Amino acid sequence: MEIKPLAFESLGVRSQATFIETKDVRILVDPAVSLAPRRYGLPPHQREVDRLTELAKVITEKAREADIIIVTHYHYDHHDPGFIIPKDIYKNKKVFIKDPKENINMSQKRVRAPRFLNSIHGLPESIETAEGKEIQIGSTKIIFSQAVPHGADERLGYVVQVAIKDGDQTVLITSDIEGAPKDQHLEFTLKVKPNVIIIDGPLSYLLGYALKQEDLDNSIKNLERVVKEGAETMIVDHHVLRDLNYKAVLSNVYEVARSVNAKVITAAEFLNTEPLILEARRRELFKEENKPARIPRNLAQLLTAGGQ
């Protein structure tokens, strides 16, 4: 099995886009990429937009190789109705989506999910809701969880987790569970027993605002439990990499991992590169060079033309 993170915070953008290839099938999870519209009161820096453009191209290219595309929920760093990533990536694909009607908050149910489904109408070979399903393709099994809360606050909606098994190897992509503050977040992990888990860390950069200390403590405890339960490699990224102090936040998890000979790393480190943290360094970027930027309005069209 080949596991390739395509776009994550440690690669310079907001995303969890991941490409997985087994001998039977090629799967792309959450083909989307975005930036924080404001951070520290500042808009995106030109370096962030340049990186987003670069990684949007990578996602688009890998999407065209994929047999299956999975959308775990309807936040714009996980799905795209054609704003940045071309809609045509869904053409002739088998698509599995978070149920757009059940266990979903109002903004996703009334606006985002319908807009997305309308945007790709007629393109995929098939579209199915994912929750609770198991798909067998040759020796590869794709297993979807039931919907679980997007972190501690259910008002943010629900997500679907996905596990991909190929022989003795299992990779689990948790989607946005914000470091697993609830025991409910771990039920699927304990069931599928992954060798590799790709998990978003807690929203530590919003501690005291969108994150309670109790939920942060629970997240760290549950991340430690995942390592103790046998995950050999834990890729912790996404939300927690919006915090420049993420290593301090995860210090206990690193310590537990060392004690059981496991690895806790970022997506960038999994790819053997240094983390490229841009959003959390936005103040520094503007001090170095005052270059506010906007995402090109025609980016999706340019990427579509590039694929023809």
Side-chain angles (χ1 to χ4, degrees):
M1 183 189 297
E2 178 186 355
I3 303 166
K4 186 171 184 180
L6 303 180
F8 278 75
E9 270 77 349
S10 70
L11 298 173
V13 294
R14 289 189 169 190
S15 181
Q16 259 185 321
T18 304
F19 187 83
I20 296 171
E21 183 172 1
T22 74
K23 59 181 175 291
D24 306 297
V25 66
R26 292 162 294 189
I27 304 162
L28 178 52
V29 181
D30 288 348
V33 61
S34 70
L35 299 175
R38 306 291 292 182
R39 185 74 193 271
Y40 311 118
L42 297 168
H45 190 271
Q46 185 62 52
R47 282 191 61 188
E48 294 178 83
V49 172
D50 290 345
R51 186 61 170 161
L52 176 138
T53 302
E54 179 183 350
L55 294 183
K57 182 178 180 181
V58 171
I59 291 170
T60 301
E61 290 172 350
K62 298 305 285 187
R64 294 197 170 109
E65 295 178 18
D67 305 299
I68 292 174
I69 296 178
I70 296 167
V71 174
T72 65
H73 65 293
Y74 302 100
H75 287 166
Y76 289 127
D77 51 348
H78 293 262
H79 90 292
D80 190 331
F83 295 152
I84 298 171
I85 304 296
K87 295 178 290 184
D88 71 354
I89 66 167
Y90 291 93
K91 189 174 182 179
N92 300 326
K93 308 297 184 183
K94 293 181 179 179
V95 180
F96 292 89
I97 59 172
K98 163 76 188 69
D99 191 316
K101 296 181 180 179
E102 301 294 330
N103 290 312
I104 186 168
N105 67 356
M106 282 299 105
S107 69
Q108 295 184 64
K109 182 176 183 177
R110 292 179 178 174
V111 180
R112 296 186 183 194
R115 177 189 287 154
F116 172 67
L117 291 173
N118 287 337
S119 75
I120 68 170
H121 178 73
L123 292 174
E125 174 186 317
S126 61
I127 303 178
E128 296 183 45
T129 56
E131 283 89 327
K133 291 183 177 175
E134 293 191 14
I135 313 298
Q136 188 82 39
I137 303 172
S139 61
T140 302
K141 184 180 288 188
I142 306 170
I143 309 168
F144 297 101
S145 74
Q146 297 295 338
V148 297
H150 188 297
D153 188 349
E154 295 180 8
R155 290 176 298 179
L156 289 173
Y158 292 76
V159 305
V160 173
Q161 301 171 299
V162 54
I164 300 165
K165 289 177 172 280
D166 180 20
D168 294 331
Q169 188 168 10
T170 300
V171 58
L172 168 61
I173 300 173
T174 68
S175 188
D176 282 4
I177 59 174
E178 298 179 12
K182 296 175 177 283
D183 290 344
Q184 178 184 356
H185 291 131
L186 288 191
E187 291 175 3
F188 190 63
T189 302
L190 299 176
K191 172 186 173 183
V192 301
K193 302 183 184 304
N195 309 95
V196 178
I197 183 168
I198 301 174
I199 186 168
D200 67 315
L203 287 164
S204 55
Y205 75 111
L206 295 177
L207 184 62
Y209 297 93
L211 180 69
K212 299 176 183 177
Q213 183 66 51
E214 176 186 2
D215 292 325
L216 175 58
D217 294 342
N218 286 340
S219 293
I220 298 303
K221 178 190 70 176
N222 283 336
L223 289 172
E224 292 172 6
R225 184 179 178 188
V226 170
V227 174
K228 291 175 183 176
E229 291 285 344
E232 298 163 8
T233 301
M234 175 186 282
I235 300 173
V236 187
D237 211 301
H238 203 29
H239 294 119
V240 76
L241 266 289
R242 298 175 195 173
D243 186 343
L244 284 174
N245 297 314
Y246 74 92
K247 289 185 178 180
V249 173
L250 299 173
S251 60
N252 288 347
V253 184
Y254 293 134
E255 185 175 339
V256 169
R258 284 192 293 269
S259 72
V260 296
N261 200 29
K263 292 192 294 186
V264 175
I265 53 178
T266 65
E269 290 162 336
F270 183 80
L271 296 170
N272 296 313
T273 64
E274 287 294 318
L276 178 65
I277 298 173
L278 296 178
E279 177 185 324
R281 293 179 52 238
R282 192 173 287 181
R283 282 186 185 136
E284 180 183 339
L285 296 178
F286 272 93
K287 286 182 179 178
E288 292 173 357
E289 190 175 20
N290 187 22
K291 291 189 70 174
R294 291 183 179 179
I295 297 168
R297 289 182 180 274
N298 62 342
L299 180 55
Q301 289 87 344
L302 290 172
L303 293 174
T304 299
Q308 294 176 345

